[in-house]
Amino acid sequence: DTAVSQTPKYLVTQMGNDKSIKCEQNLGHDTMYWYKQDSKKFLKIMFSYNNKELIINETVPNRFSPKSPDKAHLNLHINSLELGDSAVYFCASSRRSGNTIYFGEGSWLTVV
Amino acid sequence: AQSVAQPEDQVNVAEGNPLTVKCTYSVSGNPYLFWYVQYPNRGLQFLLKYITGDNLVKGSYGFEAEFNKSQTSFHLKKPSALVSDSALYFCAVRDPPNDYKLSFGAGTTVTVRA
């Protein structure tokens, strides 16, 4: 009964490929996020959805496309992967009017 | 824009000694402040938060933090550190209603030696 779950946990792929990371939350939250953690462990928000509507879209290459089929799911699709996309991607969720954001276990993406 | 600074990349303490991890913030309004911990190859775990009320907040695993508005600080503390507290600690801030996203500091690696 993991609160925020994301798959896959580890992903190794070649440059130029397209890949997706899936995320699901069972907390009943209405807002979901994608964060990227780089090799220096710095965390930066990429996207946020509230009730399936995009509310935060930071400066992210348009090769990254989030999709939220419903409030409980937020998937991240990445086209034409580059070496610099290697990072840990964290999914998270919260109530829109709430304050605590809960994170998943992360997806380690390595582009070779 | 909101921001968080964690001035120490690393903190080393002996087991049983007090542990302090420093955090200062900058926001335009009243901050929501958080501490998270990340163990190796794991996700971020929520430790505690300050929203309003008592400046001293208590959280998980015996951690506490003190909100100091005049110094714009929110230092994390534990009276007696354990080896198992060794991890990466992140301070984070939200600035509602101006901005609901969570902005993180660069993180502080805590090493507790036996």
Side-chain angles (χ1 to χ4, degrees), chain B residues 39-102:
Chain B
Y39 297 99
N41 297 322
R42 300 295 302 277
L44 281 83
Q45 295 181 28
F46 168 71
L47 278 179
L48 52 78
K49 66 185 178 188
Y50 171 82
I51 305 299
T52 187
D54 194 347
N55 288 345
L56 183 65
V57 294
K58 295 186 182 297
S60 307
Y61 313 121
F63 283 94
E64 59 188 29
E66 185 164 12
F67 171 64
N68 187 319
K69 188 170 184 177
S70 63
Q71 297 185 3
T72 61
S73 67
F74 189 57
H75 302 329
L76 181 70
K77 299 181 181 182
K78 186 170 184 179
S80 178
L82 302 172
V83 172
S84 58
D85 293 327
S86 298
L88 180 58
Y89 290 79
F90 290 98
C91 183
V93 66
R94 296 179 91 172
D95 185 18
N98 302 308
D99 197 339
Y100 276 93
K101 71 183 180 201
L102 195 61

Side-chain angles (χ1 to χ4, degrees), chain B residues 8-13 18-22 87 108-112:
Chain B
E8 299 159 317
D9 290 337
Q10 291 204 4
V11 170
N12 299 309
V13 298
L19 169 63
T20 299
V21 186
K22 295 180 180 177
T108 299
T109 299
V110 171
T111 302
V112 182

Side-chain angles (χ1 to χ4, degrees), chain A residues 35 37 96 99 101 105, chain B residues 34 36 42 49 94 102:
Chain A
Y35 276 81
Q37 186 174 45
R96 181 71 172 99
N99 41 62
I101 296 180
E105 288 287 295
Chain B
F34 304 82
Y36 287 83
R42 300 295 302 277
K49 66 185 178 188
R94 296 179 91 172
L102 195 61

Side-chain angles (χ1 to χ4, degrees), chain A residues 1-111:
Chain A
D1 52 334
T2 304
V4 182
S5 59
Q6 47 184 116
T7 56
K9 179 157 187 173
Y10 299 103
L11 182 57
V12 180
T13 188
Q14 290 187 327
M15 280 195 323
N17 283 353
D18 303 339
K19 291 295 178 186
S20 292
I21 306 172
K22 296 184 176 182
C23 179
E24 175 182 6
Q25 55 93 6
N26 63 6
L27 295 168
H29 291 161
D30 55 7
T31 304
M32 296 185 72
Y33 312 79
W34 278 107
Y35 276 81
K36 179 180 179 180
Q37 186 174 45
D38 63 22
S39 58
K40 296 185 177 180
K41 306 296 186 183
F42 188 71
L43 283 155
K44 186 171 170 58
I45 190 167
M46 300 173 69
F47 302 104
S48 177
Y49 272 74
N50 173 249
N51 284 320
K52 302 195 298 176
E53 179 183 348
L54 183 66
I55 57 172
I56 296 175
N57 185 351
E58 294 293 293
T59 307
V60 176
N62 57 16
R63 298 182 294 104
F64 290 78
S65 53
K67 286 193 171 44
S68 181
D70 56 57
K71 287 194 306 183
H73 296 83
L74 180 61
N75 304 322
L76 182 65
H77 189 76
I78 315 170
N79 290 327
S80 304
L81 278 155
E82 300 177 356
L83 293 176
D85 297 331
S86 297
V88 185
Y89 293 86
F90 286 103
C91 180
S93 73
S94 73
R95 288 195 304 274
R96 181 71 172 99
S97 58
N99 41 62
T100 303
I101 296 180
Y102 294 92
F103 287 80
E105 288 287 295
S107 295
W108 271 252
L109 173 65
T110 302
V111 182

